[in-house]
Amino acid sequence: MVGANILLVDTCKTYFENAAKAFSEIGIQATLRFAKNDIEAWSMLKGDDKLLPIPKIMLIDINAEGLNGIDLINKIRLDFELKSILIFVVSDVNNSENKRAALNLNIAGYMHKPFEKGEMIDFFSTLNDYWNSIEFSS
């Protein structure tokens, strides 16, 4: 994961800052990027603000108000260049309709969003172990 981009799509900047601290404490060797909504995220994937390299992993809170995460995931899955991105839905809202829709779009996992520092460290440590044990497309 050294040199890779991970894109966090969430309406809460504080959550991103706390996730970035957890990445630093754990020693995750990837760059965490932040998009506050689906429009900004799409611009970072395909638009004027395109990230290079393209993120291999995305974390999206599809239930956040003002964020159309299901549409974003669908656009990613339909795009040849982006469809292999490993997408995790991370949310504190139990919306069974969104969960079903996301799972039908071939996400890697639908998980409870951690907020406390210890929970975030455990959560991202587990994800980091997973990310480092799988192979990504080039």
Side-chain angles (χ1 to χ4, degrees):
M1 292 294 300
V2 175
N5 282 318
I6 296 174
L7 181 58
L8 172 63
V9 185
D10 196 306
T11 57
C12 181
K13 179 84 171 171
T14 302
Y15 188 79
F16 166 74
E17 292 165 352
N18 291 336
K21 287 177 190 173
F23 269 52
S24 178
E25 286 187 34
I26 296 164
I28 295 176
Q29 299 289 312
T31 303
L32 184 63
R33 305 295 183 147
F34 175 70
K36 67 180 178 259
N37 58 42
D38 51 302
I39 297 165
E40 189 172 291
W42 187 250
S43 180
M44 294 170 85
L45 296 171
K46 294 295 281 189
D48 295 336
D49 299 321
K50 187 174 181 178
L51 294 173
L52 292 174
I54 293 170
K56 294 190 178 293
I57 298 167
M58 289 182 63
L59 305 163
I60 305 174
D61 184 348
I62 62 171
N63 296 308
E65 191 172 324
L67 196 158
N68 196 336
I70 295 297
D71 281 351
L72 176 61
I73 296 170
N74 192 47
K75 284 170 64 172
I76 290 167
R77 292 299 181 237
L78 293 172
D79 187 280
F80 180 78
E81 185 181 33
L82 303 175
K83 68 181 178 181
S84 66
I85 294 174
L86 198 61
I87 299 174
F88 294 89
V89 172
V90 184
S91 183
D92 63 337
V93 175
N94 188 11
N95 181 322
S96 58
E97 184 178 325
N98 277 350
K99 182 177 183 179
R100 192 172 25 263
L103 290 169
N104 285 333
L105 290 170
N106 197 30
I107 62 167
Y110 193 102
M111 298 168 284
H112 179 71
K113 186 178 189 176
F115 286 99
E116 300 298 322
K117 181 181 177 183
E119 288 177 342
M120 289 186 89
I121 297 289
D122 291 344
F123 178 79
F124 287 116
S125 290
T126 300
L127 284 178
N128 188 49
D129 290 343
Y130 173 69
W131 297 334
N132 286 311
S133 66
I134 62 173
E135 292 187 31
F136 292 91
S137 63
S138 44

